[in-house]
Amino acid sequence: MRECMAPHEIAQNAEKALLYEVVTNPKPGLVDPVDNGPHPDMNVYLFINSSLSLDDYFEEAAKIGYNFDNNDLRQMFILLRQAGIKAEKSMFKATQNINTHKGAIFSLGLFVCASSYCQKHSDIDEFTVIQAMTRGLVKHDLGQKNETAGERQFLKYGKGGVRAEAEAGYPLVKEIALPFLAQTTGDLNTRLLDTLMKIVSQIEDSNLIKRAGGIEVIQWAHKQAEKYLTLGGYQTENGKEFLLNLNQIFKKRNYSLGGSADLLIITIFMALQKDII
Ligand SMILES: CC(C)(COP(=O)(O)OP(=O)(O)OC[C@H]1O[C@@H](n2cnc3c(N)ncnc32)[C@H](O[C@H]2O[C@H](COP(=O)(O)OP(=O)(O)OP(=O)(O)O)[C@@H](O)[C@H]2O)[C@@H]1O)[C@@H](O)C(=O)NCCC(=O)NCCS
Ligand SMILES: Nc1ncnc2[nH]cnc12
């Protein structure tokens, strides 16, 4: 990481991460500039509007992290969540109530805040800070209500979704996606597509489970992503053809990969912070 980054620079990398993700194509199950995939109510312009509506939030998240001066990092999370609730309102206003970035407000907000905190605390990394911030979150949030997909899936399958990822310190990003991205070659679009599919090969995406109406879809998605990577990814003719076909399958079945997109966004953010891309 660079010497010491100001909150404003960190917030800019968050905005870049949102925009780099949405322009990457062809992404199965997701909106990109060429195709809206299984999201008829969204397009790339809506994602640009949504991203810009979060400008102030990322600045605030970075300032919360930079100025926090207490040993109990759960208090920092309480401050961030208050800012996150306001950010969700701004996003829904900018998108006329379409959910473009709810997951990213949560996950990327955590990373912006943690990265900013780490500027003054070089003995600890972002993933460990997030673990400390979100300690007890699954137990606190899940188990009673069944209003959201995440809440319902916890009651039905015992899966903690994005909250469990956060409590574990996003191991899929730290141990798999970020090292994978660092060793990829080719143009940035190719590198980000292959990294997305690396994420899809391992994630339990609660958005995909919701759309498919069952958990069996996860094993299928893992196999498809593995096959793509085994073919050599987007740099190979076979890999490219496989991904274009998978794109159509996701569209036909109305399968979305919203959670996978969010983990790609975080991976891009961390890669920008660490000068990997
Ligand atoms: C903790 C919150 C994120 C809210 O949780 P909630 O219970 O409301 O939501 P979940 O259902 O748990 O969804 C969380 C979103 O996280 C993304 N996600 C899914 N799986 C993973 C994973 N394994 N790892 C990381 N991230 C994951 C995913 O976000 C993307 O999908 C969203 C689109 O979702 P939705 O509109 O439901 O889907 P559609 O299919 O389009 O809907 P239909 O058309 O079918 O109707 C999109 O946002 C992507 O970003 C999950 O959706 C947090 O909001 C929270 O704490 N809420 C409480 C209030 C609060 O404190 N807010 C401030 C937050 S700082
Ligand atoms: N490109 C995208 N398409 C659909 N949902 C998303 N959530 C985050 N990025 C997304």
Side-chain angles (χ1 to χ4, degrees), residues 201-220:
S201 77
Q202 311 252 346
I203 191 179
E204 287 180 345
D205 187 324
S206 64
N207 201 212
L208 178 62
I209 298 171
K210 172 185 164 190
R211 286 281 185 112
I215 202 154
E216 307 73 28
V217 71
I218 294 299
Q219 235 186 342
W220 173 83

Side-chain angles (χ1 to χ4, degrees), residues 39 41-42 57 77 80-86 88 91 99-107 137 141-142 148-151 153 160-163 165 170 203-207 210-211 254 256-263 266:
H39 299 278
D41 54 346
M42 300 179 179
Y57 166 60
F77 181 58
L80 178 67
R81 259 196 153 174
Q82 285 161 3
I85 290 166
K86 271 198 299 174
E88 275 185 17
M91 175 198 82
N99 178 8
T100 40
H101 282 132
K102 186 175 77 172
I105 290 172
F106 177 78
S107 294
L137 186 63
D141 272 18
L142 299 176
T148 68
E151 289 164 356
Q153 286 172 27
V162 68
R163 294 170 178 86
E165 281 290 326
Y170 293 90
I203 191 179
E204 287 180 345
D205 187 324
S206 64
N207 201 212
K210 172 185 164 190
R211 286 281 185 112
N254 197 33
S256 166
L257 286 173
S260 309
D262 289 346
L263 291 195
I266 297 167

Side-chain angles (χ1 to χ4, degrees), residues 9 13 28 69-70 102 106 111 116 129 174 193 197 229-230 240 243 253 255 257 261:
E9 287 177 273
N13 277 343
D69 192 17
N70 178 320
K102 186 175 77 172
F106 177 78
F111 273 86
S116 199
V129 170
K174 180 182 179 184
L193 274 179
M197 295 312 284
L229 294 167
T230 308
K240 196 176 202 167
L243 196 66
R253 297 189 186 177
Y255 286 175
L257 286 173

